Amino acid sequence: MKHTAHAVALALLHLSAAHAQETVPEAAQATDGLKMERIVVTGTPVGSSKMKSSVSVSTLEADAIQNLAPTSAADVLRAIPGVRSESSGGEGNANITVRGVPISAGGARYVQIQEDGLPVLQFGDINFTTPDSFVKIDGTLDHVEVVRGGSASTLATNSPGGIINFIARDGKEAGGSIGLSRGLDYDSTRVDFNYGAPVSNRDRFFVGGFYRNGEGIRDTGVKQERGGQLRANFTHEFDGGWVRVSLKHLDDRSPTALPVPVTVSNGHIAEIAGIDPRTASFYSPYWVKDVSLTKGNGQVANDVNEGLSVKSNALGLEGSFDLGNGWTVTDRFRKANNSGRFMGVFPADSGTVGSYTFATGPRTGQAYNGRAFNAVVFNTSIDDAGNTLNDARLTKTFRIDGGAKLNLTAGWYSSLQKLGLTWNFNQYLMQASGDQPALLRTASTTPGYVGPAFGACCSRAVDVEYRTNSPYANIGWEQGAVNLDASVRRDRQHAGGSANIATGAAAYVPATAQRVDYDIGHTSYSVGGNWRVTPALALFARTSEGVAFNADRILFGAPLDGSAPVSINTVKQLEGGVKWRSGGLSTFVTLFRARTRETNYEATTQLSTANSYEAKGVELEAAWRAGDFHVNGGLTLTDAEITATAPGGEAVIGHTPRRQARTVYQLTPGYDLGAASFGLAVVGTGKSWGDDANTLVLPGYTVVHAFLNYQLTPKVQLALSANNLFNRIGYTEIESDGHAARSITGRAVKASVKYAF
């Protein structure tokens, strides 16, 4: 690829320049924007600095996260080079992957999202129940570590593409704050607080969280944001180790954004009058209750405006113990009760202009002459997404004559992931308006009600448990400037339970129940090396292969009772690159190739796929600081194609996978001016295809966020931030027939005041 060649040339220029110096001045290290000497704990058997590790890893600090003006966890990840985060669905249900690994249906199948080193959910792509929905950005967050490729496939389960680890503060530094923020062009009020401190030479604590209330960024006419989060931890240190207990209580509700009706002409998207994809919401005060089927064949009425509600109560325990003579044991444990509900409105078509009658709202009974569309309510109850997780590892360090060091690590990961879901998809006739639409009259006695959606396919009951046991081992050797490591992991999973589709969306009957009872396993590996040519220059390379097991996306297809093979998804990666710094400039360049084999199922199209993909490209991360000016940036160039499909789909072989842009970039310049600091966060993506047939165009776009902070007093800070400052439309996905597409949300400006103590 031409772009790849340019990037390689740039890396070689850096290499030649770096040979001119053998040491890095302390001043240069202090201005290192990529923090190459920071110890990273994600995706490594023992903590290691970026400069020594042979993986592509990025960190994002709490103050940088605040300046991104994020509206969700997925928004934060858009600032990480190599991460593709389609943050267009509200505060959850985002589509997330890494460089060239596909997003075929939704969620984060190939990337594990963690909190404090353990997964939020064992699977990243459960329908309507993705891990980012349970991750909230507030003052309890210390920093984020993101590993792409590398050892992620062997040091975690279901993470062949990478690991995203949200790490909480632990009270090591005394202090706290309380803050109030308010949307200036939308209705949302939020209070954040946090405080932590040592209570003795060996003990410290931290507690924090938020509570908010309001309508949300999109105009809905109803209060959809309500709730918050509380997190706390207590740490005790002793001679040779430490233990920590942590608590999390999450009970929060927020609107979710689904695709809106559009039209397509010659492969290009056009908006429908009255429906702005940046602001449209089909939540409305004029909805009726959605009556759905329970697993016991009863009926329950739900408020469509509930949106995405998530609840989590989690207890964690972790510790590290030095056993002496080079032996160390560490353990992380967490038990979480997770539940919620997903209520979203999806357009089944782009609508038809005609003569109708209002069935709800202030104009009930009056004529409506305009466009109407069939609105499907995705009413999914997250009955149980709880899990119990434990990761224990034993490490032995050998000191060898000549200054070499050998690290041996053996670990055992075990998890129980529960999955209880109840789907109900009902269809209504709705006014085609993006601002508080009303329902329109149909033959039903229920206003606007048409009947079960998609041919009564989708009243579904799922009750499955997934038990995973994964022994793993790593060997690492270090001598002087050279680090080598190799690791292997054996994931073994048992799935047991049942799944059923209600007959005619009216009743669950035993005869149609699908028994789930199978065992499946896979062995993953990773081998890498790093050479610090000088203190300011390092070269690394790695090869790896990993697996992502399927959860509910393979239900209702092939037999899952152990009588037939069960499909899995694998990713093989090859990567290599250079890390270099000089003065205030630091860079991290990685060449990569990824090969993916997968199976998938889409709820909206009811289609199953089995594809293979290959992607190659280059990933660049850089930072530069000169005095009070600083800038971080990233560029990912990807050349991807579909290399194989199931019989009958051969026409797409050689095509670019859907939603995979050749170019994705980030740029975050900032300036400190006395008591004030200000800057931008620019995220851009090139053109991509909306379908594997490469007939629908998703235009490239650039979105700009802005921030201004002012330190009024040493303890009081005022802040103004804008997400999508220039109110750009940015389509992230489109239905394969072109009737509906989803865009990022429009401009959202927020003001806040924070008091530190």
Side-chain angles (χ1 to χ4, degrees):
M1 297 185 307
K2 180 174 70 174
H3 293 305
T4 303
H6 288 171
V8 173
L10 177 63
L12 291 176
L13 287 175
H14 287 169
L15 176 64
S16 62
H19 273 294
Q21 61 177 56
E22 291 297 322
T23 60
V24 179
E26 291 185 6
Q29 294 187 38
T31 58
D32 177 14
L34 295 186
K35 301 185 184 303
M36 292 291 196
E37 297 302 330
R38 174 161 190 161
I39 301 300
V40 175
V41 298
T42 303
T44 63
V46 293
S48 177
S49 72
K50 296 182 187 179
M51 209 64 184
K52 288 185 176 182
S53 66
S54 54
V55 297
S56 296
V57 58
S58 299
T59 55
L60 201 59
E61 307 300 322
D63 55 350
I65 292 172
Q66 175 188 338
N67 292 338
L68 293 172
T71 61
S72 65
D75 250 2
V76 172
L77 300 178
R78 287 176 60 84
I80 304 291
V83 176
R84 184 153 59 103
S85 178
E86 297 178 356
S87 56
S88 55
E91 291 193 24
N93 207 41
N95 303 322
I96 301 168
T97 191
V98 297
R99 53 191 190 198
V101 178
I103 293 177
S104 302
R109 167 176 288 178
Y110 299 103
V111 178
Q112 185 177 104
I113 295 179
Q114 299 181 343
E115 285 187 328
D116 298 323
L118 287 174
V120 177
L121 298 176
Q122 188 60 79
F123 303 91
D125 64 338
I126 299 171
N127 281 295
F128 307 110
T129 315
T130 54
D132 65 296
S133 302
F134 293 88
V135 176
K136 302 296 179 179
I137 304 302
D138 60 16
T140 65
L141 180 63
D142 183 79
H143 67 286
V144 180
E145 296 181 353
V146 180
V147 173
R148 283 90 66 196
S151 55
S153 59
T154 55
L155 293 177
T157 295
N158 280 10
S159 57
I163 302 173
I164 299 168
N165 192 7
F166 293 85
I167 299 175
R169 297 169 62 181
D170 64 5
K172 197 167 188 176
E173 296 181 0
S177 67
I178 184 168
L180 174 68
S181 60
R182 172 69 185 171
L184 299 184
D185 55 355
Y186 63 99
D187 175 26
S188 181
T189 303
R190 173 167 159 158
V191 176
D192 284 77
F193 76 97
N194 65 80
Y195 182 72
V199 294
S200 72
N201 290 334
R202 293 179 177 265
D203 301 300
R204 62 183 184 270
F205 78 96
F206 181 82
V207 60
F210 74 93
Y211 181 83
R212 45 90 175 273
N213 186 65
E215 185 177 1
I217 297 174
R218 299 189 181 219
D219 183 21
T220 64
V222 292
K223 297 285 188 180
Q224 286 197 283
E225 287 188 348
R226 185 170 68 245
Q229 174 175 260
L230 178 67
R231 299 185 70 183
N233 58 63
F234 182 86
T235 305
H236 173 70
E237 296 182 351
F238 52 88
D239 293 339
W242 56 272
V243 293
R244 178 177 300 137
V245 61
S246 59
L247 301 170
K248 173 180 174 179
H249 172 68
L250 171 65
D251 188 349
D252 191 40
R253 196 178 90 172
S254 61
T256 187
L258 290 174
V260 303
V262 296
T263 61
V264 173
S265 176
N266 295 322
H268 294 274
I269 304 172
E271 289 76 51
I272 290 175
I275 300 180
D276 186 335
R278 298 164 297 186
T279 62
S281 170
F282 303 124
Y283 298 115
S284 170
Y286 309 133
W287 267 105
V288 296
K289 295 286 187 179
D290 182 54
V291 178
S292 59
L293 185 67
T294 68
K295 289 176 178 175
N297 288 327
Q299 289 189 326
V300 61
N302 299 113
D303 183 359
V304 175
N305 295 316
E306 184 178 348
L308 174 63
S309 60
V310 288
K311 296 180 180 181
S312 180
N313 290 296
L315 171 65
L317 182 65
E318 59 181 312
S320 178
F321 309 89
D322 185 350
L323 304 179
N325 197 30
W327 291 94
T328 303
V329 62
T330 61
D331 189 81
R332 290 187 175 94
F333 167 85
R334 184 169 65 232
K335 180 175 177 57
N337 295 322
N338 303 318
S339 60
R341 183 174 289 275
F342 183 101
M343 299 289 289
V345 182
F346 176 81
D349 52 43
S350 59
T352 302
V353 176
S355 297
Y356 306 92
T357 302
F358 283 102
T360 62
R363 298 176 62 187
T364 299
Q366 297 181 25
Y368 168 68
N369 297 307
R371 183 181 292 270
F373 71 98
N374 283 288
V376 176
V377 174
F378 288 162
N379 182 346
T380 300
S381 174
I382 308 168
D383 304 321
D384 190 354
N387 50 47
T388 303
L389 317 163
N390 195 83
D391 191 358
R393 62 182 63 172
L394 180 67
T395 299
K396 167 67 173 175
T397 300
F398 296 90
R399 303 285 179 175
I400 303 174
D401 292 343
K405 184 169 66 173
L406 180 68
N407 288 315
L408 300 178
T409 299
W412 189 285
Y413 172 79
S414 62
S415 73
L416 168 63
Q417 177 67 61
K418 298 181 179 180
L419 184 57
L421 303 173
T422 307
W423 290 21
N424 283 282
F425 294 178
N426 284 327
Q427 186 168 306
Y428 297 80
L429 188 62
M430 174 166 267
Q431 175 189 11
S433 169
D435 184 9
Q436 302 182 32
L439 298 177
L440 304 174
R441 182 173 294 171
T442 65
S444 172
T445 57
T446 300
Y449 183 65
V450 175
F454 304 139
C457 73
C458 299
S459 289
R460 303 185 175 190
V462 174
D463 285 290
V464 184
E465 290 186 349
Y466 299 89
R467 295 181 180 272
T468 304
N469 283 284
S470 307
Y472 59 93
N474 177 279
I475 181 170
W477 182 75
E478 177 181 351
Q479 184 169 28
V482 177
N483 297 67
L484 300 173
D485 69 272
S487 53
V488 64
R489 186 184 191 93
R490 177 63 182 178
D491 289 306
R492 187 72 181 176
Q493 184 181 94
H494 173 76
S498 64
N500 205 346
I501 299 178
T503 302
Y508 293 106
V509 297
T512 58
Q514 178 186 22
R515 184 169 70 93
V516 179
D517 184 9
Y518 65 86
D519 291 280
I520 194 167
H522 186 80
T523 300
S524 304
Y525 66 85
S526 182
V527 179
N530 188 81
W531 175 35
R532 298 185 305 284
V533 182
T534 74
L537 171 72
L539 306 176
F540 75 98
R542 180 170 291 274
T543 180
S544 61
E545 193 260 7
V547 65
F549 293 129
N550 291 298
D552 62 322
R553 290 187 181 270
I554 58 172
L555 297 176
F556 312 107
L560 297 177
D561 58 1
S563 63
V566 176
S567 61
I568 60 174
N569 313 289
T570 59
V571 178
K572 293 184 178 181
Q573 296 190 79
L574 182 66
E575 57 191 308
V578 56
K579 293 164 279 189
W580 175 73
R581 62 190 176 194
S582 177
L585 176 65
S586 50
T587 59
F588 202 146
V589 182
T590 305
L591 299 175
F592 63 87
R593 185 180 73 180
R595 293 177 175 176
T596 306
R597 297 182 63 184
E598 69 164 25
T599 60
N600 221 332
Y601 174 81
E602 288 182 297
T604 55
T605 62
Q606 303 174 59
L607 295 177
S608 296
T609 58
N611 292 339
S612 295
Y613 306 86
E614 181 173 356
K616 52 185 180 292
V618 61
E619 171 189 291
L620 168 67
E621 183 178 15
W624 179 56
R625 187 172 191 107
D628 293 325
F629 176 77
H630 50 90
V631 59
N632 284 53
L635 173 67
T636 306
L637 305 174
T638 306
D639 182 9
E641 66 173 337
I642 302 170
T643 57
T645 68
E650 292 83 1
V652 302
I653 293 176
H655 288 193
T656 302
R658 71 183 80 175
R659 290 139 66 180
Q660 176 63 67
R662 285 185 174 269
T663 305
V664 177
Y665 56 91
Q666 303 87 13
L667 191 67
T668 55
Y671 191 81
D672 301 324
L673 184 63
S677 61
F678 55 90
L680 303 173
V682 181
V683 179
T685 180
K687 181 189 77 171
S688 63
W689 295 107
D691 61 336
D692 289 344
N694 290 180
T695 61
L696 301 171
V697 176
L698 294 175
Y701 64 91
T702 300
V703 59
V704 178
H705 312 310
F707 70 91
L708 170 63
N709 301 324
Y710 184 75
Q711 203 68 40
L712 186 64
T713 73
K715 293 183 176 295
V716 178
Q717 183 189 67
L718 305 178
L720 182 68
S721 63
N723 190 286
N724 195 357
L725 177 64
F726 299 113
N727 204 30
R728 289 295 306 273
I729 292 177
Y731 288 109
T732 61
E733 62 182 280
I734 186 170
E735 294 302 301
S736 58
D737 63 356
H739 80 268
R742 176 155 58 179
S743 168
I744 60 174
T745 296
R747 180 170 47 240
V749 182
K750 177 178 67 176
S752 61
V753 57
K754 182 171 70 174
Y755 176 77
F757 51 86

